Amino acid sequence: MNAATLYGLCGAALVGLGLYGTIVHPQPLRKILAFNLLGGGVFLQFGVIARRGAAAGMGGDPVPQAMVITGIVVAFSATALAVALVLRLFQETGKATLGSEPPASPARDGEGAGR
Amino acid sequence: MPEFLIATAGFILMMVAVGLVRILRGPANADRMMSAQLLGTGGIAALLLGAGTGASGLLDAALTLALLAAFAAVAFVNSADRQ
Amino acid sequence: MRALLDIVTVLAVLAGAVFFLAGTVGLLRFPDSLTRLHALTKADNLGLGLVVLGLLPQVDGALAALKLVAIWLLAQLAGATVSQMIARSMRRDGQRA
Amino acid sequence: MTIALALDAGLALLVLGVALWTIGAGPTFAAVVGFVAFGLLLALVWVRLAAVDVALTEAAIGSGVTGAVLIAAAARLRPTEPQSVGERPGATMRLVAALLSVLVFAGLAGIVLFPADPAPTLGPAAAAHLPELDVGNPVTAVLLAYRSVDTLLEKVVLLLALVGVWSLAPDRFWGGAPGVLRPARPDGALALLGRVLPPIGIVVGVYILWVGAIAPGGAFQAAATLAAMWLLVMIAGLRDPPETRLRSLRLLLVAGPAVFLAVGLAGFALPDGFLSYPVGHAKPIIIAIEAVLTLSIAVILGLLVAGPPERERQR
C-alpha cells in the first residue's frame, strides 16, 4: 500500500459518494455539490495516474496534471452556470425543485426556516 | 528534521480535523465558519511545514491559500448575515 | 550553530502545535460562540506565528523568509477582520448560540 | 516513510469524512462549509501527490471561488429548503442508487488496485522538449505548448458559460450590472479589508503568473487570485459591479482568447502549423499569452461569481 493507491481508493470512494448524492438529493443545489465531489474523485484518479507515471526527475506525469487543471476550471464554469439556472428557476416559480408535479403547499410551512 | 516537520504537520492537521466536529455540531453558522477558518490556518501551517522540508513551490501555495481563505471567509460571513 | 538553530525550530514549532491543540480544545469545549471565537484566534495568531518563527532558520534565502513572514501577516489581517465580522453577525443574531 | 504514510492515511480519511458530511448534512449552509473544507483538504492531497500546480488551482478555484458561488446561492435558496423535504426519493430508489454507487466504487477500486505495469507516462516526452521551450515548469509547458488547443478551447468554454449566465437575466436587465452582493458598512472591518488586501493580492497574483514559467503557478491560479480580490472590493461595497454592456469590459473578456487564437493562426506561417511557436522565442510568447489570458480569465471568473445582471442599464 503506497500513497498513490491510498488516494486512488479515496478518489474511487468519492466518486461513489458523489454519485449517490447526485441521485438521491432532492434539492438541485445539493445535487450540484455532490456532483462537484464526484468530479473531485475523478480528478484524484488522474492525480494517481500522474503520480505513478513519475519519470525524468519529475514528481509526476505533467500531462494528466495539466488536464486536471483544465478540468477544475471547466468544472467551475459548469457549476456557476448550473447555480445561475437554479436561481433563475427560483426567481420564476418561487421554488427550486426538479419535480415534474408542482408540489402541494409545503406541509410544514416555515418550520424548518429557523436555524 | 524533515521527519519532525512532517510529523508536526500531521499533528496540526489532526488537531484542526478534530475541530471540524464543530461543522457537524454547530449550533450556529458562526461556529461552522470558525472551524473552517481554523482548518484554513492549519492548512497554511501544514503547507509551511512541508516547505520547511525543502519541497519547492509550497510557500507559493500557502500564500495563495492565505489570500483565498480570507476571501472565502468574507463571502461566507456576508452570506450568513444576509439570511 | 546548525544544531542550535535546529533546537530553536523544534521548540518554536512544538509551541505552535500546542497552540493549535489549545485552539481545537477551546473550539470544542467552550460553552458559547464568543468564547469559542476567542480560542480560535489564539491558534490563528500564535499557532501560525510560532510555526513561522520556527521555520525561519530552515528556509534558505532571505526571499523565502520574507515570504513566510508575509504569509503570517496576511493570515493575521484576514483572521482579525473575519473574527470581527463573525462576532458582529453573532451580535446581530442576538447571541442565539 | 511510515510517518508520511500515516499522514496520507489520515488525510484520505479526513477527505472522505468531510465528503460524507457534505452529502449528508441537513442545512445547505453547513454542507457548503463542508465543501469548502473538502476543497482545502483536497489541495493538501494534491501536494502529497507531487502536483503543486494542481494544489494551487484547487485552493484558488476549487474551494475559494466555487465556495463563494455556492454560498451566495445557498443564502438565496434558503426559503425553499423546508419544502424539498417531502421530495426525497423512496427507499427502493435510494437502495438502487447505493448499489450503483458501490458498483462504480468497486470498479474504480479494482483499476486502482491492479494498475497497468509499467505505469504509462508521458513524462520523458514532456521533459525532452523543455529546453527548446525554455520553460522550466512542465505543467505550464503542457498547458501552453504541447496541449495548447485544450487550453484555448477551455477559454471558449469559460466565455460560453458567462454568456449562458448572462442570458438567464430577464430581458429588461440585459446589459445592466449584476446585483451588488450586499451593501456593506463603509466604516466596518470589511471595508478596511477591501482596501488593504487587494493591493497585496494583486502583487501576489502577478508573482504567481510570473513564477509559473519556472515553478508551480500560472495563468489560472493568478487569475483566480485577481478575481477574488476584485470580488472582495465589490463585496466590501467599495466599487459597484460594472454594467455588462460596457464595450471595454467585453473587449477585456475576449482579449485573452483572441490573442491566443491570433498567435495560433500565426503558427501557420511556421512549418508546424496551428499553435506552433518559432524556435527560440517560445518563452516570451508563452508569457505574453499568459499575461493577457490572466486578465481575461480574472474578469470572466469575477463575473461568473457575480451572476446575471440584476439591474436595469443606466442611460
Side-chain angles (χ1 to χ4, degrees):
Chain A
M1 179 68 82
N2 59 11
T5 312
L6 202 65
Y7 288 124
L9 290 177
C10 176
L14 281 177
V15 172
L17 267 177
L19 186 62
Y20 178 76
T22 310
I23 298 173
V24 165
H25 259 296
Q27 292 161 256
L29 196 60
R30 299 297 291 275
K31 280 183 196 288
I32 296 172
L33 264 175
F35 197 74
N36 269 296
L37 290 185
L38 197 165
V42 174
F43 292 150
L44 266 190
Q45 301 297 337
F46 275 77
V48 169
I49 292 169
R51 183 79 181 104
R52 283 187 174 143
M58 293 182 284
D61 186 350
V63 177
Q65 291 183 1
M67 287 165 86
V68 171
I69 292 180
T70 308
I72 290 175
V73 178
V74 171
F76 166 74
S77 45
T79 304
L81 184 58
V83 165
L85 277 167
V86 175
L87 284 177
R88 181 78 177 131
L89 181 70
F90 173 59
Q91 265 178 9
E92 284 293 303
T93 64
K95 295 187 286 276
T97 169
L98 302 176
S100 49
E101 297 271 318
S105 61
R108 302 178 301 141
D109 199 15
E111 187 195 294
R115 53 195 81 170
Chain B
M1 186 52 83
E3 292 83 13
F4 167 72
L5 293 179
I6 292 277
T8 317
F11 174 77
I12 289 179
L13 271 183
M14 214 167 69
M15 281 303 107
V16 295
V18 174
L20 283 182
V21 172
R22 272 284 161 216
I23 296 191
L24 285 154
R25 290 229 307 249
N29 281 339
D31 296 298
R32 304 206 163 99
M33 287 185 290
M34 278 186 234
S35 60
Q37 164 90 4
L38 186 62
L39 179 69
T41 313
I44 293 171
L47 282 177
L48 293 183
L49 287 167
T53 64
S56 67
L58 294 195
L59 275 183
D60 295 338
L63 199 58
T64 314
L65 188 59
L67 272 173
L68 268 292
F71 165 70
V74 165
F76 269 69
V77 183
N78 212 39
S79 297
D81 255 13
R82 193 167 53 173
Q83 293 188 355
Chain C
M1 189 61 198
R2 189 69 242 173
L4 202 66
L5 284 178
D6 278 359
I7 291 172
V8 170
T9 299
V10 170
L11 286 181
V13 168
L14 277 182
V18 168
F19 273 101
F20 273 100
L21 171 71
T24 301
V25 171
L27 194 62
L28 291 183
R29 299 296 304 163
F30 281 0
D32 61 71
S33 294
L34 281 175
T35 48
R36 291 198 278 264
L37 189 60
H38 162 85
L40 162 72
T41 48
K42 301 301 156 291
D44 252 13
N45 297 349
L46 282 168
L48 191 60
L50 284 167
V51 167
V52 164
L53 189 68
L55 284 173
L56 281 179
Q58 299 296 324
V59 296
D60 38 46
L63 184 67
L66 208 66
K67 232 190 264 176
L68 272 178
V69 176
I71 291 169
W72 180 59
L73 286 176
L74 231 125
Q76 288 281 60
L77 179 69
T81 317
V82 171
S83 305
Q84 210 259 10
M85 288 174 68
I86 291 179
R88 176 176 285 162
S89 85
M90 273 190 277
R91 198 180 64 184
R92 197 172 301 147
D93 289 352
Q95 301 264 353
R96 210 185 313 223
Chain D
M1 195 58 222
T2 37
I3 294 179
L5 197 61
L7 178 75
D8 288 327
L11 198 53
L13 283 179
L14 256 181
V15 167
L16 285 179
V18 175
L20 261 176
W21 167 250
T22 306
I23 299 282
T28 306
F29 187 93
V32 178
V33 175
F35 180 75
V36 169
F38 170 80
L40 236 155
L41 290 169
L42 213 53
L44 294 179
V45 170
W46 286 113
V47 170
R48 296 296 303 158
L49 285 171
V52 182
D53 290 272
V54 185
L56 267 166
T57 317
E58 180 66 45
I61 296 182
S63 85
V65 191
T66 310
V69 170
L70 290 170
I71 199 61
R76 284 191 184 192
L77 294 175
R78 197 178 173 76
T80 68
E81 274 184 52
Q83 76 189 25
S84 69
V85 171
E87 295 177 18
R88 284 200 61 138
T92 326
M93 179 66 185
R94 270 180 287 162
L95 189 68
V96 171
L99 278 178
L100 179 67
S101 305
V102 169
L103 210 66
V104 170
F105 164 72
L108 279 174
I111 297 174
V112 170
L113 287 175
F114 305 103
D117 191 44
T121 177
L122 292 166
H129 295 278
L130 280 184
E132 286 172 35
L133 291 169
D134 199 17
V135 173
N137 179 358
V139 177
T140 300
V142 173
L143 281 173
L144 282 146
Y146 306 146
R147 300 288 312 161
S148 44
V149 181
D150 294 356
T151 309
L152 178 60
L153 288 177
E154 174 224 37
K155 294 298 147 327
V156 178
V157 169
L158 271 175
L159 266 181
L160 284 178
L162 184 62
V163 172
V165 168
W166 280 1
S167 62
L168 289 170
D171 278 351
R172 62 182 190 283
F173 294 152
W174 176 258
V180 197
L181 300 160
R182 180 169 169 273
R185 300 157 48 109
D187 58 340
L190 181 52
L192 175 74
L193 193 69
R195 287 192 175 90
V196 177
L197 204 55
I200 305 172
I202 290 171
V203 172
V204 172
V206 173
Y207 166 73
I208 296 280
L209 167 67
W210 179 251
V211 86
I214 49 169
F220 307 113
Q221 298 90 334
T225 312
L226 293 182
M229 292 304 117
W230 185 34
L231 286 163
L232 185 63
V233 170
M234 292 197 275
I235 293 177
L238 300 173
R239 272 273 186 279
D240 276 342
E243 292 212 313
T244 53
R245 71 185 164 91
L246 291 178
R247 182 146 301 159
S248 53
L249 182 78
R250 293 187 174 186
L251 271 177
L252 209 53
L253 289 177
V254 296
V259 167
F260 204 167
L261 192 61
V263 171
L265 291 176
F268 280 123
L270 299 168
D272 287 338
F274 190 56
L275 276 171
S276 61
Y277 305 132
V279 180
H281 300 282
K283 186 173 179 181
I285 293 179
I286 286 177
I287 288 184
I289 295 175
E290 278 204 297
V292 190
L293 273 184
T294 303
L295 265 182
S296 289
I297 306 172
V299 178
I300 296 175
L301 289 180
L303 288 172
L304 276 175
V305 177
E310 283 178 1
R311 279 178 288 171
E312 288 188 32
R313 35 198 286 198
Q314 283 150 8
R315 292 283 140 195

